[in-house]
Amino acid sequence: MQKQQHTLFVCTTCASVWKEGKKIGESGGQQLLHKLQQLAQTWELHSKFSIQGVQCMSACNHACVIAFQGEEKFTYLFGNLAVDDSASAILQCATQYYTNPTGLLPWSERPEPLKTGILAKIPPLSKWAKLTENCC
């Protein structure tokens, strides 16, 4: 079993309605976070994968946005996720992320909503250091 912490970040500002500089009601991101937290209560990785809301992930044109992050793994940022029908696909993909030692999520193996919604794949810090070692 993996011992490192894994985190699913959910932008809670995504799909907000604003009026005169103030947010009105619950945002789409908050709704998605609640759905994920509810589904995660019976998820086999509930105690190994934290789910955290983030006030803004600066991908506003791609709401709703989530990210997977794990120690020494690639970090993935996904956007354009539907509030109503992506929560189970997100947890399915999080399981795939958890079980892969490097965190790689091949396109063909991802659930459908996460095939088209990829915004970034960021190498782990330890790997990045190795990639730039001989640079400059």
Side-chain angles (χ1 to χ4, degrees):
M1 275 289 174
Q2 306 266 349
K3 292 187 180 183
Q4 298 102 343
Q5 180 61 48
H6 289 75
T7 305
L8 166 57
F9 292 106
V10 181
C11 180
T12 58
T13 311
C14 278
S16 293
V17 175
W18 297 86
K19 184 174 182 181
E20 297 175 9
K22 294 184 182 185
K23 189 167 71 159
I24 307 295
E26 188 175 53
S27 70
Q30 289 170 312
Q31 293 171 33
L32 180 58
L33 176 62
H34 296 313
K35 288 177 188 228
L36 286 164
Q37 290 170 329
Q38 184 178 11
L39 273 177
Q41 291 177 15
T42 58
W43 183 35
E44 67 272 10
L45 297 178
H46 175 72
S47 64
K48 295 174 175 53
F49 216 115
S50 72
I51 300 174
Q52 295 182 15
V54 176
Q55 200 159 28
C56 182
M57 293 176 69
S58 295
C60 302
N61 291 333
H62 299 285
C64 285
V65 175
I66 61 109
F68 298 125
Q69 186 176 47
E71 187 178 331
E72 297 184 23
K73 289 188 171 189
F74 283 87
T75 296
Y76 279 85
L77 181 69
F78 292 95
N80 303 308
L81 298 169
V83 173
D84 295 330
D85 60 357
S86 63
S88 61
I90 292 168
L91 291 185
Q92 179 186 349
C93 197
T95 299
Q96 293 169 325
Y97 181 80
Y98 180 84
T99 58
N100 187 310
T102 64
L104 285 175
L105 295 169
W107 180 87
S108 62
E109 297 174 19
R110 286 185 227 144
E112 205 58 42
L114 290 103
K115 284 184 176 179
T116 58
I118 184 122
L119 301 178
K121 178 178 97 174
I122 304 162
L125 186 57
S126 59
K127 182 160 180 102
W128 180 253
K130 291 175 189 172
L131 290 173
T132 59
E133 226 168 53
N134 298 322
C135 177
C136 311

